[in-house]
Amino acid sequence: MVILGIETSCDETAAAVVEDGKNVLSEAIASSANLHTKTGGIIPENAAREQIKSMIPVINEALSFIHNPSSIDAVAVTIGPGLIGSLLVGVETAKTLGFLWEKPIIPVNHLVAHLYANWIEDDPQFPAVGLVVSGGHTDLVYIKDHGEIKWLGGTMDDAAGECFDKCARLLGLPYPGGPAIEREAAKFKIKNNKLMTYPRPMINQDNFDFSFSGLKTAVQNNLKIKHPAAEVQEAIVDALVVKSLKAIEKYKPKSFIVSGGVAANARLREKLQIKIKNLYIPKPKYCTDNAVMVATAGYYINKPTHWSKITADPNLFLK
Ligand code: KG4
Ligand code: ZN
């Protein structure tokens, strides 16, 4: 089954053609991150305006090798969660193509797509426990089988990526904050995990929830320390690792899967790799927003829908 995936939930405009969830035939992506670096963060209207400009060139690039659109079996598109103006660009484009080509649309939850990034190049076994760590979400889930996802816990306030972004701003580092903090932290060799200046909120609580807004306040109140970027990274990574291990201990899954932009972080990858056996993390380009994961999720959770029944939903969740 050949699926055209479309992703526009945040500041990326991406399209990809994937066969049977794994064979990536083409992928194209345009990011407006440079624009947001200038404003220190995403201004939703700016993101959507850029996506309107990028959508057709990106689709054109992804389809350039295809001579006849009838070789596409379905269009998978992210319908939420995300920024409404951004989502609409992708959703309405998918609907137009579905209408013209007379093909079904597969609506995809962006967070489920992040989880399915692990199926692009691998085949994690079920049951799995998954950690989604992105700019807007931090969730732990139990996955019994394809499409059978139970929410275990998540952040009470800021997402892990949001915390990276906000702390980077406090430290005078550019947007997006995660990669900026990672680069800054890499200049400092971490010795014996002794970076304990900032708190790891909620790690001793017996649940699968997170809280990152206190960490941001702690950074604000205590900026003049040695290596603040490395300290921030270590605090966020520790909170994610501790709760992941708690979920593994309780649910004893056959695999543990991680995804979302923050999963591109080398320190998080390293710490998880040390502690977890059947660990799956996509390569960094499939951790951050992309359309291949949308096509792959569409293939595995295949719910073909007529274009007239598809609407963008900025508040979709995993619960
Ligand atoms: O999944 P994603 O690309 O978009 C959303 O769905 O939100 O995640 C973006 C988030 C941003 O907060 C960004 O700072 C963070 O992922 N991020 C990272 C890294 N790369 C991206 N955080 C830590 N380390 C990284 N290398
Ligand atoms: Zn995302």
Side-chain angles (χ1 to χ4, degrees):
M1 184 178 193
V2 177
I3 297 182
L4 166 67
I6 299 179
E7 160 62 45
T8 62
S9 65
C10 192
D11 58 343
E12 261 83 31
T13 307
V17 180
V18 183
E19 186 184 21
D20 296 340
K22 294 206 184 300
N23 185 15
V24 181
L25 302 176
S26 71
E27 53 190 309
I29 187 160
S31 172
S32 56
N34 285 345
L35 187 77
H36 310 309
T37 303
K38 284 187 206 141
T39 50
I42 296 178
I43 295 174
E45 188 178 328
N46 291 352
R49 282 175 186 272
E50 281 304 300
Q51 283 162 318
I52 288 170
K53 283 192 235 159
S54 305
M55 189 78 262
I56 290 176
V58 163
I59 297 263
N60 195 30
E61 189 184 335
L63 294 181
S64 58
F65 74 103
I66 285 183
H67 303 298
N68 185 351
S70 66
S71 54
I72 304 270
D73 297 304
V75 181
V77 63
T78 298
I79 57 159
L83 304 169
I84 184 64
S86 296
L87 287 167
L88 281 171
V89 177
V91 168
E92 294 307 311
T93 302
K95 283 161 74 172
T96 306
L97 292 174
F99 166 72
L100 284 175
W101 295 345
E102 297 177 359
K103 298 287 168 156
I105 311 288
I106 305 174
V108 174
N109 177 321
H110 181 71
L111 305 172
V112 173
H114 270 309
L115 290 167
Y116 271 96
N118 285 289
W119 271 263
I120 300 169
E121 293 181 306
D122 271 307
D123 253 313
Q125 275 195 292
F126 296 112
V129 166
L131 171 71
V132 183
V133 270
S134 70
H137 294 266
T138 304
D139 294 297
L140 271 164
V141 295
Y142 179 81
I143 315 167
K144 199 168 152 210
D145 207 334
H146 286 299
E148 288 185 54
I149 300 173
K150 186 179 127 196
W151 186 78
L152 302 177
T155 183
M156 315 298 287
D157 38 58
D158 293 350
E162 189 179 357
C163 185
F164 268 113
D165 294 337
K166 287 179 175 170
C167 291
R169 219 179 154 143
L170 293 171
L171 299 177
L173 296 170
Y175 175 87
I181 286 189
E182 179 172 355
R183 279 194 302 274
E184 198 60 30
K187 294 180 188 163
F188 168 66
K189 193 107 191 85
I190 298 163
K191 281 187 202 123
N192 307 323
N193 296 349
K194 281 210 176 117
L195 300 172
M196 293 300 291
T197 305
Y198 298 135
R200 277 79 169 145
M202 297 183 78
I203 60 164
N204 295 317
Q205 289 184 20
D206 202 15
N207 56 33
F208 306 114
D209 294 331
F210 305 87
S211 167
F212 291 106
S213 67
L215 172 54
K216 173 193 65 198
T217 312
V219 173
Q220 194 162 22
N221 294 338
N222 196 2
L223 273 170
K224 295 207 169 64
I225 58 164
K226 256 187 169 184
H227 320 300
E231 293 269 10
V232 166
Q233 176 172 267
E234 209 62 12
I236 296 174
V237 166
D238 279 352
L240 296 173
V241 172
V242 166
K243 289 292 168 102
S244 297
L245 293 177
K246 258 194 206 329
I248 290 170
E249 195 186 332
K250 174 155 180 196
Y251 290 95
K252 306 192 169 35
K254 290 206 175 126
S255 52
F256 185 76
I257 67 177
V258 192
S259 195
V262 178
N265 184 276
R267 182 66 178 152
L268 176 64
R269 297 168 84 95
E270 179 190 4
K271 278 204 150 177
L272 290 171
Q273 257 143 17
I274 293 169
K275 306 257 176 179
I276 301 173
K277 267 186 275 163
N278 301 308
L279 173 72
Y280 294 84
I281 315 181
K283 60 167 81 142
K285 79 166 180 176
Y286 293 143
C287 287
T288 48
D289 288 351
N290 67 90
V292 176
M293 68 183 189
V294 178
T296 298
Y299 173 75
Y300 284 104
I301 53 168
N302 193 355
K303 290 211 176 90
T305 308
H306 190 256
W307 65 265
S308 62
K309 303 245 163 27
I310 304 282
T311 42
D313 181 356
N315 301 317
L316 262 191
F317 201 48
L318 277 173
K319 266 191 214 177

